[in-house]
Amino acid sequence: MAEPLPDLIEEFVSDGTGDDPAATLTTLVGQDDVYIATLLESLPVERRIAVWDGLPRDRKLDVLVEMRSDPREILIDVIQDDEWAAIFSDIDAEDLLELLDSLPTRLVDLAYAALDAQQQAFFREATAFKDDEVGHWISHELLVLPLNAKVREGLRLIRRNVPQHCDTVFLVNRSGQFSAAVKLTRLFGAPEHVPLVELTEENIPVLKGNDESTSASLQVQRSGYASLPVVDENNKLLGRLEIQSAGELINEFYERQVMASAGMDEDEDLFSPVAKSARNRAVWLGINLLTAFLASWFIGLFEATLQQVVALAVLMPVVASMGGIAGSQTLTLIVRGLALGQVTSANFRALMVKELKVGGVNGVIWAMVIGIVAYFWFTDAILGIVICLAILVNIVSAALAGVFLPVILDKLKIDPALSGSVILTTVTDIVGFVAFLGLGTLFLL
């Protein structure tokens, strides 16, 4: 049973276990590669390197593959040149694809030379696709038989080997084009002379190599199969996308979305150099500063109003906050819908109407609550009405912006998860301040 990760981090950081290679080996024996990779990412750089040095050389490649790129690159930089030949001795095309963005060109060439001819061909095929296309991530371990095969050939094939997460035999014609699939469970008990084409699945989904990897992964998860066939534009069978890879791609996508919402890279190391982290985050802070100045400029237009009605300044954060929260809820929903392919031109209008209704209902309810609170707080009925109207306008506007912004950004090929929240905050701040201060000027002065 794996020791809880926090306890192990404490052991390696505070007790100095990582300084002794023998102790490292004893502590980590039996742990899987993902666990060790997560541990290494959790350690300060000096400890990380010490623990890495204590790992058996035959496990280092698998651990590197499981790590994020930023912490992985720190280890790649300290590995001696004479170690790489041993590390790459058992590398395959899928491992090299995982490491491709982290390795310098000289090491990519070295790793490629270590592949056999078939693995080199697989690597070339995969790199012909972008890393956000499913063809880049397919598995070549699959069960394939000709279209005229019978049950006896299928049973003979699965007795030799069944790859992990493989529950179907793919049938291809003489040109290598995918034709059909047969569930392995259909072979058991069937007469050996029966052609496999009589046992095929009726509606197995087929993926194209240039399909977007996240949507293709979701298809695998929803299909009920352990893997789905992947074909090229001529329907030639390239490989399969299996459920484990699909899950990893989806997890990476959502992690990327979460990190992007703060303007950060999902591969950022917990212990990356201060200068690098500061540089990566400075751009986002600068963008936020510009939007803050823009909102401040609109506030400055009502300086005279604020000087005469101080209560408006006290209540301004309430208006901005309510609009920001309402907008972010709608934005998050739409971004998820876009990612899952659920938002299209066909249902956009209905979705917009629904979100406007939700914004209207919440706007009325909370506008009344805040208006009553403001009235009792400042004993000013007009002020209560002003903030009531401003909250209603801002929440409805936030719902509208939350629907339109991610769709527009997606059309412009800009990641809505990365840019949407900053733009939305600016919109809700400006609309809220202008509505509140404008109504205040109109009714209170």
Side-chain angles (χ1 to χ4, degrees):
M1 182 176 178
E3 184 176 351
L5 188 61
D7 294 343
L8 199 57
I9 294 170
E10 180 73 20
E11 188 175 333
F12 277 100
V13 173
S14 301
D15 301 342
T17 301
D19 294 335
D20 181 0
T24 298
L25 188 57
T26 302
T27 304
L28 297 180
V29 66
Q31 307 296 351
D32 63 32
D33 301 321
V34 175
Y35 183 88
I36 296 174
T38 306
L39 170 66
L40 289 172
E41 292 175 357
S42 308
L43 298 176
V45 173
E46 298 79 9
R47 292 292 183 188
R48 182 184 303 166
I49 294 171
V51 174
W52 169 260
D53 289 337
L55 291 178
R57 188 167 292 177
D58 61 356
R59 297 202 62 183
K60 289 186 172 181
L61 174 64
D62 294 330
V63 172
L64 276 179
V65 167
E66 297 296 342
M67 295 181 71
R68 291 182 176 87
S69 62
D70 277 10
R72 176 200 293 154
E73 288 170 5
I74 289 176
L75 296 179
I76 289 173
D77 288 341
V78 301
I79 297 175
Q80 300 298 316
D81 288 347
D82 57 1
E83 288 188 76
W84 284 111
I87 291 174
F88 289 152
S89 60
D90 294 322
I91 195 169
D92 59 27
E94 291 178 37
D95 291 336
L96 183 52
L97 287 167
E98 290 282 355
L99 299 175
L100 193 58
D101 291 338
S102 302
L103 295 174
T105 303
R106 63 181 179 83
L107 292 181
V108 172
D109 294 340
L110 181 63
Y112 181 79
L115 301 174
D116 61 32
Q118 185 181 53
Q119 290 294 319
Q120 287 182 349
F122 290 158
F123 180 77
R124 290 194 299 272
E125 285 179 7
T127 51
F129 295 95
K130 300 175 183 176
D131 61 6
D132 62 350
E133 294 177 337
V134 69
H136 194 83
W137 303 111
I138 58 175
S139 169
H140 297 282
E141 294 183 344
L142 63 168
L143 301 175
V144 182
L145 285 173
L147 195 56
N148 60 358
K150 294 181 169 56
V151 168
R152 68 172 66 90
E153 282 90 355
L155 292 171
R156 191 180 304 127
L157 178 65
I158 63 178
R159 276 196 292 267
R160 287 202 301 267
N161 178 45
V162 177
Q164 189 177 29
H165 307 300
C166 184
D167 61 349
T168 51
V169 177
F170 297 149
L171 304 182
V172 297
N173 62 20
R174 292 182 179 180
S175 301
Q177 295 173 312
F178 176 79
S179 298
V182 179
K183 271 286 193 82
L184 298 186
T185 52
R186 297 291 302 275
L187 301 180
F188 304 118
E192 292 191 350
H193 66 277
V194 172
L196 289 178
V197 290
E198 296 184 10
L199 306 175
T200 57
E201 298 294 295
E202 291 186 4
N203 296 304
I204 184 169
V206 179
L207 306 175
K208 299 288 188 182
N210 56 5
D211 286 348
E212 199 276 322
S213 58
T214 304
S215 59
S217 298
L218 287 168
Q219 272 193 272
V220 174
Q221 285 192 337
R222 296 166 178 169
S223 68
Y225 296 92
S227 62
L228 292 179
V230 181
V231 301
D232 65 10
E233 65 277 4
N234 298 315
N235 205 44
K236 181 180 178 182
L237 182 65
L238 298 174
R240 66 191 178 100
L241 181 63
E242 42 95 356
I243 191 71
Q244 181 175 337
S245 297
E248 291 172 355
L249 287 168
I250 291 171
N251 289 342
E252 289 172 5
F253 170 78
Y254 283 115
E255 184 178 355
R256 186 161 58 249
Q257 296 288 93
V258 170
M259 296 296 284
S261 66
M264 298 176 68
D265 188 334
E266 76 275 14
D267 286 320
E268 180 155 340
D269 189 356
L270 279 173
F271 297 98
S272 60
V274 172
K276 181 179 180 181
S277 292
R279 183 173 62 251
N280 290 342
R281 301 180 198 185
V283 174
W284 197 248
L285 291 171
I287 294 172
N288 187 69
L289 179 62
L290 290 175
T291 61
F293 275 133
L294 182 61
S296 297
W297 180 77
F298 275 94
I299 294 172
L301 297 177
F302 299 92
E303 182 179 357
T305 302
L306 288 170
Q307 287 177 348
Q308 295 185 51
V309 187
V310 178
L312 293 176
V314 175
L315 294 172
M316 276 172 50
V318 177
V319 178
S321 176
M322 292 299 289
I325 293 296
S328 67
Q329 291 171 338
T330 303
L331 179 77
T332 302
L333 184 70
I334 303 302
V335 168
R336 187 190 69 175
L338 288 169
L340 299 179
Q342 295 175 316
V343 178
T344 69
S345 57
N347 64 5
F348 178 77
R349 181 181 176 82
L351 183 58
M352 179 185 66
V353 171
K354 175 256 182 180
E355 287 300 316
L356 283 175
K357 288 179 179 178
V358 172
V361 170
N362 274 328
V364 169
I365 293 171
W366 291 106
M368 291 177 65
V369 170
I370 294 168
I372 292 170
V373 171
Y375 167 70
F376 283 106
W377 188 355
F378 295 99
T379 61
D380 189 333
I382 300 299
L383 179 62
I385 294 172
V386 165
I387 194 170
C388 183
L389 293 173
I391 290 290
L392 177 60
V393 168
N394 204 19
I395 289 181
V396 172
S397 300
L400 194 63
V403 172
F404 273 99
L405 273 176
V407 172
I408 293 171
L409 291 171
D410 189 59
K411 294 286 186 185
L412 296 174
K413 305 299 182 184
I414 300 172
D415 186 354
L418 178 62
S419 307
S421 59
V422 173
I423 299 174
L424 177 71
T425 301
T426 305
V427 169
T428 55
D429 281 355
I430 291 173
V431 170
F433 294 150
V434 170
F436 186 41
L437 298 176
L439 289 169
T441 303
L442 184 64
F443 289 107
L444 297 173
L445 294 183

